[in-house]
Amino acid sequence: MNIAIIRFIDSDEQLRIGVRDDNGATYALATNSISELLAKSLAEIRKVIEDSLDKKEPVSPSRILAPIDNLTEVWAAGVTYKRSRIAREEESDHADVYSRVYNSERPELFFKSIAWRVSGPTDPIGVRLDSAINTPEPEIALVCNSFQEIVGVSICNDVSSRSIEGENPLYLPQAKIYAGSCALGPGIIPIWMISDIYSLSISVEVERGGTTCWQGTTSTSQMHRSFEDLVRFLFMNMQFPHGVFLSTGTGVVPEMSFNLTADDVVTISIEQIGHLSNVVVPSTTENFPALFVQ
Ligand code: DO4
Ligand code: MG
């Protein structure tokens, strides 16, 4: 049996944390938040989940939210796959920056989002109005607790502006952080449920006007670095008392002529983890009102 930790609104409009099984049944989890769970050790988290599966207190989600809350952060790694290195070299006048980081011991790690800005599986994702080339980035996200342990995995869409980053690598925060640029979900799969984290297929499909306009596939076997090493660098000289999501980089990048646009639907599928689908809208305040309330 596979299970996912989910954050949701129930039929009484209450925000809850639960565990959903393969059959779609959801049971209440004895925690008030994802951040409270991620403050615990892996052994404690496993016990909370197993106790809830023993008790089987059924709950009825009416809306699934992004599986992140409170002070838990999202960070991301870049240029961890050869395809990403080649794509950055194509889009940038500073190609050597990317080949140097690809071959260095120290990885590229960047801040991606605070929890309240993250889109969940029923929210839209955004494209910047001042960006000529936008792209989805399908990535496996490691979910780490406060003890630097990888306790689970999820799906992250590291939506990005290729043209803004390509213009100047110092524009990276603007290319990566804006309303609707980070989607996570649908849930967190506990790490002990994953059989081999280094051989999971990752695919992405963009649907436009009812037909597929771009798709791509890779596998975590193509990663140029180890997940443990990315986590080690992230926690070096920094604590995450409420846990952290670390998105591990994309191995699928479209050709330069592709531009993600409003009304496209992006679906990312990762083996053993699930599917994350989001509709694309312009990245305006009006389009992301829900993200301003936790
Ligand atoms: O170097 C810029 C970011 C690259 C990135 O986000 C990725 O490789 O996934
Ligand atoms: Mg990325």
Side-chain angles (χ1 to χ4, degrees):
M1 184 190 55
N2 244 330
I3 56 160
I5 302 164
I6 58 168
R7 184 169 160 264
F8 61 94
I9 304 288
D10 71 10
S11 44
D12 296 323
E13 289 297 301
Q14 297 301 306
L15 201 160
R16 308 283 300 266
I17 309 297
V19 175
R20 186 171 59 184
D21 71 17
D22 272 348
N23 303 318
T26 306
Y27 304 107
L29 204 56
T31 186
N32 292 315
S33 62
I34 298 288
S35 59
E36 185 181 271
L37 203 61
L38 296 182
K40 299 180 193 298
S41 69
L42 178 59
E44 287 170 320
I45 294 172
R46 190 162 183 167
K47 178 148 179 17
V48 172
I49 291 174
E50 286 172 354
D51 285 353
S52 80
L53 290 171
D54 282 348
K55 268 204 207 128
K56 283 203 158 66
E57 184 198 318
V59 281
S60 316
S62 62
R63 189 158 92 90
I64 311 283
L65 306 173
I68 185 167
D69 50 30
N70 302 329
L71 295 176
T72 305
E73 299 169 22
V74 185
W75 283 70
V79 203
T80 49
Y81 290 78
K82 190 172 169 192
R83 173 65 193 127
S84 180
R85 193 201 78 200
I86 291 168
R88 306 307 146 209
E89 288 170 354
E90 249 167 35
E91 75 203 16
S92 177
D93 292 338
H94 305 272
D96 65 314
V97 171
Y98 299 97
S99 52
R100 271 167 41 211
V101 82
Y102 186 76
N103 292 311
S104 294
E105 194 209 344
R106 183 184 292 278
E108 175 196 0
L109 295 176
F110 57 92
F111 179 75
K112 180 68 185 173
S113 189
I114 52 173
W116 65 266
R117 275 195 216 278
V118 175
S119 295
T122 60
D123 298 313
I125 50 175
V127 285
R128 288 186 68 121
L129 296 171
D130 58 348
S131 161
I133 311 176
N134 305 286
T135 185
E137 293 193 359
E139 305 186 5
I140 179 169
L142 307 173
V143 185
C144 302
N145 63 7
S146 59
F147 297 91
Q148 201 179 324
E149 294 169 305
I150 300 172
V151 300
V153 286
S154 189
I155 300 175
C156 178
N157 192 342
D158 171 24
V159 192
S160 307
S161 163
R162 288 187 79 177
S163 46
I164 293 177
E165 182 185 345
E167 198 178 328
N168 188 324
L170 294 181
Y171 292 153
L172 187 78
Q174 295 173 77
K176 292 288 187 183
I177 307 169
Y178 52 87
S181 67
C182 181
L184 286 175
I188 300 170
I189 310 298
I191 196 67
W192 60 90
M193 298 268 155
I194 301 292
S195 57
D196 180 2
I197 198 169
Y198 287 105
S199 70
L200 302 177
S201 77
I202 301 178
S203 62
V204 58
E205 183 180 356
V206 180
E207 199 190 302
R208 184 171 294 165
T211 54
T212 301
C213 64
W214 177 67
Q215 62 188 340
T217 306
T218 188
S219 161
T220 52
S221 62
Q222 301 303 305
M223 272 275 291
H224 178 62
R225 295 178 184 272
S226 77
F227 293 125
E228 291 73 16
D229 215 41
L230 293 177
V231 171
R232 182 172 70 84
F233 271 98
L234 181 63
F235 277 75
M236 215 176 261
N237 301 289
M238 192 151 56
Q239 300 165 318
F240 294 96
H242 305 269
V244 60
F245 284 65
L246 174 53
S247 196
T248 56
T250 187
V252 194
V253 185
E255 49 288 348
M256 285 295 285
S257 56
F258 178 84
N259 182 25
L260 193 65
T261 29
D263 298 329
D264 288 351
V265 179
V266 181
T267 303
I268 300 174
S269 304
I270 306 187
E271 203 181 346
Q272 296 184 46
I273 304 183
H275 311 277
L276 175 66
S277 258
N278 301 92
V279 66
V280 179
V281 297
S283 178
T284 59
T285 309
E286 302 77 59
N287 280 332
F288 290 92
L291 299 188
F292 292 90
V293 241
Q294 177 75 316

